[in-house]
Amino acid sequence: MADALHKSFTWRVFISFGLFIAFLMILVSGVILYIGPSGRAPAAAAWRMIGLTKGEWQNQHIIFGFAFSLLSLFHLLVINWKAFFSYVKSKAVAGIKSPGELVFIMALSLFFGIGTYYKIEPFSAILEFGKTIAKSWEGKPVNKPQSIQGSAGEMNSRSKPAE
């Protein structure tokens, strides 16, 4: 046990744990934001899940997204740079012998992007499901309390003598 504590710091392990934690936070915050209330309505402002408001979950999502991006770049370009550049170089020299995988993932990504933009099924169903859950948090509309003075129109109608 004592040897494990005195072992030197390993960047590969640090980055791996960091990527895992950042991924989990992005996943959890993404799910919570997906099901949370939408807009800036009072219900959305007062809403909390696991102790955080919607805005606080958005902040967590953004920061852990940045952390995941930075750790991914560090993982790829610092820790695994030899393997990465060796792979890129070998593919550039040999040419792409089997472009099927590249074409397929590009087409699939394009389909996801266009399908989401134009709200094509199944993307529209996924988006609507999230909106339905988000709206369920809103509850009944709250009546606004009437002001003591009323509106300018009400003041004018009250100040005129009855005819």
Side-chain angles (χ1 to χ4, degrees), residues 56-89:
E56 292 166 340
W57 277 112
Q58 288 170 329
N59 293 343
Q60 295 293 322
H61 193 74
I62 290 166
I63 295 302
F64 278 95
F66 273 107
F68 187 83
S69 299
L70 290 173
L71 289 168
S72 296
L73 287 171
F74 192 83
H75 173 71
L76 181 65
L77 300 176
V78 175
I79 293 177
N80 294 315
W81 69 273
K82 286 181 184 176
F84 175 69
F85 286 113
S86 174
Y87 178 79
V88 170
K89 184 179 175 183

Side-chain angles (χ1 to χ4, degrees), residues 42-56:
W47 180 85
R48 289 183 172 274
M49 170 108 20
I50 314 175
L52 300 178
T53 65
K54 182 182 178 189
E56 292 166 340

